[in-house]
Amino acid sequence: MQYPASWLQGASLGEKIACELRLQIVSGTIKPNTILSENQIADEFGTSRSPVREALKTLFTEGLIRLERMGAVVLGLTPKDIEEIYDVRFFIETFILERLSKIQHENLVTALNQIIDKMEMAAKHHDFIEFAYQDLHFHEIMILEGDHTRILHLWNNIRHIVLAALLVATEKRFTAETHEIKPLIDKHRLIVNALISKDSSNMKQVIQEHFEDTRHTVNNTVLNHKIHER
C-alpha cells in the first residue's frame, strides 16, 4: 500500500517522505528494529538528505523511530501506543461534543450527514481510501468547529498516525471484514444524533462505543503483523 497521492497536495517533500514512511511503519511493511539510512531513503525518493532529515525528525517526534548515530531505528506502534492514542482521541472528542452541544450547530450537522453519505458511496464502490479519508474528515470537522486552539494542537500531534492506522484498518475491513462497514457507518449516524440530542451522557457513551470498536480493529490490524513475525 502506498500513501494516497491525493492526500499529499500542498505538502513539502519532507512531509511526503514522512507520510510514506509512516504508513509503511504502521502497516508493518517496515518492521520494528529496521535501521533506516538517510542515504538509502534519499536514493529511494530521488532527493537530497535534507528532506529526509525533516521526515525522520517528524517520525521521531511521533515516537515511531529512535535516532542513533548509525541511523534511525524503527520502533513501530505497540499496544500501549495504540491504547494511549485512543485515550487522547476519546478525551478530545467527548470534550468537543459537549462543547458543541452548547452552541447552534445546524450547519455542522448537515456537513456531517453529507460526509456519511460520501462514506456510504465509497463503501458502495469499494473505495477504502476515500472511506478512510471521509471517516477522518467526519471527526476532524467537529474538532475544528469546536474552536479550541489547544485541543486542536493536541489533535494535530496525533492526526497523521491516526490517519495512517485508519487507512490500514479500513483496507482490512474492505477486504476481509466487509460485514463491519455498515455498522461503522451507523455508528457515525449515532454520533450525529447524540450531537443533536445535546445529552452529554449519551454523547460520551456513543463516542466510547465507537472508539472501542475502532481501537479493537486497529489493534487487530496494525499489531497482527508483529504476531506473525514471532
Side-chain angles (χ1 to χ4, degrees):
M1 182 198 306
Q2 287 188 323
Y3 198 86
S6 60
W7 295 6
L8 294 172
Q9 294 180 5
S12 69
L13 182 54
E15 289 169 339
K16 291 177 180 179
I17 294 172
C19 285
E20 184 60 42
L21 293 176
R22 183 187 297 110
L23 181 60
Q24 291 184 39
I25 291 171
V26 170
S27 68
T29 303
I30 298 178
K31 311 295 185 189
N33 299 316
T34 298
I35 297 175
L36 301 178
S37 159
E38 285 186 10
N39 289 332
Q40 181 181 353
I41 296 170
D43 288 343
E44 181 182 343
F45 286 90
T47 184
S48 66
R49 292 169 60 184
S50 181
V52 175
R53 289 194 194 101
E54 177 190 339
L56 294 179
K57 183 178 179 181
T58 297
L59 298 179
F60 169 73
T61 301
E62 294 174 348
L64 292 176
I65 63 173
R66 183 178 69 249
L67 297 178
E68 297 186 357
R69 287 185 178 182
M70 59 186 170
V73 180
V74 174
L75 302 176
L77 286 177
T78 66
K80 184 174 183 291
D81 290 327
I82 294 174
E83 192 76 18
E84 289 177 354
I85 287 169
Y86 277 89
D87 284 344
V88 173
R89 285 197 68 185
F90 179 69
F91 166 76
I92 290 174
E93 296 205 29
T94 51
F95 176 87
I96 287 296
L97 272 176
E98 187 167 351
R99 185 176 173 87
L100 291 173
S101 71
K102 299 172 184 176
I103 63 176
Q104 295 297 318
H105 45 60
E106 288 80 5
N107 291 339
L108 175 61
V109 168
T110 299
L112 292 173
N113 282 323
Q114 289 173 346
I115 291 172
I116 295 173
D117 291 342
K118 290 178 182 178
M119 291 172 70
E120 288 182 328
M121 186 62 66
K124 181 179 179 181
H125 289 91
H126 309 289
D127 187 346
F128 77 90
I129 292 176
E130 177 66 12
F131 190 97
Y133 178 80
Q134 294 300 335
D135 191 345
L136 184 91
H137 186 43
F138 177 94
H139 295 276
E140 191 160 57
I141 66 166
M142 287 193 296
I143 295 168
L144 292 170
E145 188 72 16
D147 191 28
H148 192 293
T149 303
R150 296 302 167 186
I151 288 291
L152 184 58
H153 283 322
L154 191 59
W155 164 247
N156 285 333
N157 284 335
I158 64 169
R159 181 186 187 274
H160 289 295
I161 292 181
V162 169
L163 184 53
L166 188 61
L167 184 60
V168 173
T170 303
E171 182 185 33
K172 181 182 179 182
R173 274 186 161 132
F174 271 64
T175 55
E177 298 171 351
T178 55
H179 62 282
E180 293 186 356
I181 297 173
K182 185 180 182 305
L184 178 60
I185 293 172
D186 291 342
K187 283 185 172 68
H188 284 79
R189 292 207 184 277
L190 287 175
I191 293 173
V192 176
N193 292 336
L195 178 60
I196 294 171
S197 75
K198 298 187 177 183
D199 182 340
S200 59
S201 61
N202 182 34
M203 290 177 187
K204 187 172 183 177
Q205 180 180 351
V206 168
I207 284 290
Q208 186 168 16
E209 289 176 356
H210 174 55
F211 280 164
E212 283 304 318
D213 173 68
T214 306
R215 189 198 313 249
H216 175 74
T217 302
V218 170
N219 263 302
N220 285 349
T221 306
V222 174
L223 300 178
N224 188 50
H225 64 87
K226 294 182 181 179
I227 294 172
H228 289 308
E229 288 170 17
R230 294 174 183 173

